Every structure is written in C-alpha cells, then in structure tokens.
Amino acid sequence: RLRDLRVKVERHEEFTRYEFILHGAADDPFAEPPIGLVPAEWVERIPGTVLVASHVAVLSGTAVPDERDPQDAASWLSVGMIVGSRMASNAVSAFSDFRIHEDGFSRWVLIDHCRQPAQVGRTLLRLLEIDTYRMLALLALPLAQQLIPELRKRDRELHTLAKAVATGSDLSDEELLEELSRLAAEVENLISSHYYRFNASRAYFGLVANRLALLREVNIENISTVSGYLNRRMEPARNTCDTVARWLDDLSTRVTNASQLLRTRADVRREQQNQALLASMNRRSQLQLRLQRTVEGLSLAAITYAGVSLIGILGGALYEKGIFPFDSGSLEALVMPFVAAGVYFGTRHIREAARESD
C-alpha cells in the first residue's frame, strides 16, 4: 500500500500481473489512471514484455440496471462499437470497446448495481483473466501460420514417397527408407519444437471459454455480449491452431505408416531370399550326402580289395612252403565274402557311433 494506492503483483506460470488500484471518485477515471502515481522509472524496469494493459473504471450504479448504462459507459470509451452485457445475475454491467487507446491501454467500464465489492471483484478478475488468457492462447497463431507452408511441403514429399513405395520408382527400398527416415526426423523436430505452445494454447482457449461461462451474461438490446464478440473473433484462430496441431500429428502418423509398410516389404523380400538360400543349402547338402555315399561305397570296395589281396599274398606264401592247403587265388575267393561283410558292418558300426555322439 502506498497511501491511497494499492499495488498487487501476481506471479503465474507464463506471466506476471501487476494491478494498481485506487479508491475514490474521479470526474474522468481514465484521465489520470492509478499507474500514473507510480514512478515511471520503476514501471520501465519491470521485466518482460507487456502482453495485456487495461484501465478499468468501477462506477456506482442504481440497484436496478438502467437502460442508460450503455450510454453512460460510452462517454468513457471511444466513439464506435461498444461491447458489453449485464453479468453475475445483473449485479454488474461491464462495457468495453476492445480498442487500444493512445496510451497503449484498453478500457473497461464496470457499473456496480449490488454494492457488493466481492461480486464486482470476481467479475473484474474474470474479465482480466479473459483478456490475458486469450492473448496467451493467440501466441500459437503466428507459429501455426508459419508452419502451414512447411507442412504443405512435407505433405507433398510424403505423397511422392508413398507413391514410390506403392508403384515403384528408380529408388531402391533402402533409399526410400532413408528418405522416409529423414522426413520423419524433420516432422518430429517440428512437433517437439511447437508441442508446448500448441498444448498451452489449447488449455488457454479452454480457460477463456470457462471464464466466459462464469460471467453469466445477460444480453443488452442492440449491444453484442463479451462472449459473442470474442467467440466470433477467436474461433478462426482457434480452428487454425487446432488444425495445424492435428496436421502435425497426422503427418507424423502417416510417415510412420509408410515407413512400416516399406520395412514390411523389405522384410518379406529378405525372408524370401533367406528361404531361397536355405533351399539352395538343402540341395547342396543332399548332393554332398550322395557324393559321400558314393565315396563310402568306393571305399568299401577298395578296403575289401586291399584286405583280400593281403590275405591272398599271405596264403600264397604259406601254400608254396606246403603249410597251407589252398593257393592264393582259391584263398582270395574263399575269404572275399567274409572280408566284405566285415568291412561293411565295421563301417556301419563306426557311422552309428558317430551319430550317437552327435
């Protein structure tokens, strides 16, 4: 408190509100506003950028709202359109021209009909919140307008790549996948860069709608209500921001779907190649098995021949000395079936032992 002046500072998430409140009657409430009592050097040192600046005059009115209220309020506002209504069950009448005047401030005129400061204070706070939240909500609009050309460009690129994936092109699947990955990275960068602002804008638009509903406006003949005036002017901006936010999400989803489709096609082709490779390996294994069996058959014959020959040499030597009754030829013919059988069963036993070991 500075004598008759009360200074109130409210810190919020994205802004700080400074209120300068002065009690007392004045012939022209906007001629010498309360902020004029504060040192200009101090005001200039307030950090940040001015988002909303408003002068508000709260005047006493009759217990029953009068049809002359709009005319009385118009004398404090600029010539032209006036917006206003009766609020809080006819307890307060509020009017504004929604113009920025020469001093950089907009103006509100509130007429108190109920002599209840708390009710007037709640209504005034909601009006100030509406002004602040709508400006914060509209911070996303320039970003949305800047993003529209970028999104159109990315959309055309996605269309070209999706068409190449569907109908084929000079690019290989690896090159197409690389292009889609690049596009996905660019889209995700756009989303991450503007995600907070668009989500905050959506929340602020919701707060504006909530505060407008809490005003409980009653229409005054031939004057647009605050909610009607703001909704008509904010709805296009809100639709633009929502459309761009949805466009970003949809574009990201479509890029992901195209990439998954291309990866699926590449996986199918790779699976086909693997199947062909396995079939080729199977054919080679069968051929190797046949060659192995052929070699085994030749080996059996060679071992049998070698064994019979050794027995024949030994028997021939014994026959010449009169020790053995059969010559070499007869002995070879006699032992050949037994040697062959022994070699066959011995080889078979070795193969079964190796198989059991495996």
Side-chain angles (χ1 to χ4, degrees):
R1 291 185 178 274
L2 304 173
R3 297 178 183 175
D4 295 333
L5 179 68
R6 185 158 62 98
V7 180
K8 184 177 181 182
V9 181
E10 300 176 0
R11 292 184 178 274
H12 297 263
E13 180 68 23
E14 284 195 288
F15 66 94
T16 300
R17 178 185 292 123
Y18 295 82
E19 299 177 10
F20 305 92
I21 305 168
L22 182 64
H23 293 275
D27 295 334
D28 185 350
F30 300 115
E32 296 181 359
I35 196 173
L37 302 177
V38 181
E41 297 81 3
W42 185 87
V43 175
E44 292 174 356
R45 288 198 300 268
I46 294 177
T49 303
V50 177
L51 188 68
V52 176
S54 301
H55 291 316
V56 182
V58 180
L59 309 177
S60 296
T62 59
V64 178
D66 197 327
E67 294 298 330
R68 294 174 299 177
D69 290 344
Q71 288 78 14
D72 293 340
S75 62
W76 309 112
L77 304 173
S78 63
V79 178
M81 182 187 65
I82 294 179
V83 177
S85 62
R86 298 190 180 97
M87 303 174 182
S89 302
N90 291 325
V92 183
S93 296
F95 304 93
S96 177
D97 52 11
F98 283 99
R99 295 178 183 273
I100 306 299
H101 292 256
E102 293 79 5
D103 57 359
F105 286 73
S106 62
R107 293 181 179 180
W108 281 94
V109 176
L110 272 65
I111 300 177
D112 180 11
H113 302 292
C114 65
R115 303 294 195 278
Q116 295 180 3
Q119 183 65 65
V120 178
R122 283 194 295 269
T123 303
L124 173 57
L125 177 61
R126 287 163 185 166
L127 292 172
L128 294 177
E129 287 177 340
I130 289 171
D131 260 352
T132 304
Y133 292 147
R134 72 185 179 94
M135 293 302 296
L136 288 167
L138 292 173
L139 288 178
L141 181 59
L143 298 178
Q145 293 170 336
Q146 293 173 7
L147 278 176
I148 289 175
E150 290 288 332
L151 292 177
R152 287 199 184 109
K153 178 183 176 182
R154 302 297 188 276
D155 211 314
R156 287 193 296 267
E157 290 181 10
L158 177 58
H159 173 72
T160 302
L161 292 173
K163 184 177 180 181
V165 172
T167 61
S169 68
D170 297 335
L171 299 177
S172 63
D173 285 352
E174 290 76 12
E175 292 173 332
L176 285 174
L177 188 57
E178 183 178 354
E179 289 295 316
L180 284 171
S181 299
R182 175 191 59 78
L183 183 58
E186 292 176 353
V187 173
E188 289 302 322
N189 181 51
L190 291 176
I191 292 175
S192 61
S193 300
H194 302 89
Y195 179 81
Y196 174 80
R197 189 72 267 158
F198 282 121
N199 273 2
S201 176
R202 189 179 301 113
Y204 285 128
F205 276 122
L207 287 173
V208 171
N210 174 264
R211 297 303 187 270
L212 287 174
L214 291 176
L215 291 178
R216 293 176 292 166
E217 291 187 273
V218 177
N219 185 46
I220 298 176
E221 187 176 0
N222 299 325
I223 296 181
S224 177
T225 62
V226 174
S227 58
Y229 177 85
L230 291 180
N231 285 333
R232 284 195 303 272
R233 283 154 180 78
M234 292 181 61
E235 194 64 25
R238 180 174 186 171
N239 290 338
T240 299
C241 294
D242 289 344
T243 298
V244 171
R246 286 195 302 269
W247 197 352
L248 276 170
D249 292 338
D250 292 344
L251 190 58
S252 176
T253 302
R254 289 163 55 201
V255 172
T256 301
N257 291 340
S259 300
Q260 290 179 347
L261 179 62
L262 186 57
R263 287 192 180 94
T264 301
R265 190 172 73 180
D267 291 341
V268 170
R269 289 182 178 178
R270 192 178 298 111
E271 186 67 24
Q272 292 175 346
Q273 293 174 354
N274 292 338
Q275 290 180 354
L277 179 61
L278 291 175
S280 176
M281 293 175 62
N282 187 33
R283 287 193 298 268
R284 285 198 297 270
S285 299
Q286 291 178 353
L287 180 59
Q288 289 176 356
L289 180 60
R290 291 175 184 174
L291 291 175
Q292 182 180 354
R293 289 177 178 176
T294 302
V295 171
E296 287 179 356
L298 295 175
S299 299
L300 290 175
I303 294 172
T304 301
Y305 176 76
V308 171
S309 298
L310 290 175
I311 293 174
I313 293 173
L314 178 61
L318 294 175
Y319 178 76
E320 290 178 355
K321 293 181 179 182
I323 299 175
F324 199 73
F326 299 102
D327 58 5
S328 61
S330 300
L331 181 60
E332 290 177 356
L334 181 64
V335 301
M336 183 180 294
F338 299 99
V339 173
V343 172
Y344 171 76
F345 285 108
T347 304
R348 181 177 177 182
H349 176 73
I350 293 172
R351 189 186 299 116
E352 290 178 354
R355 186 182 299 112
E356 290 177 359
S357 176
D358 292 338

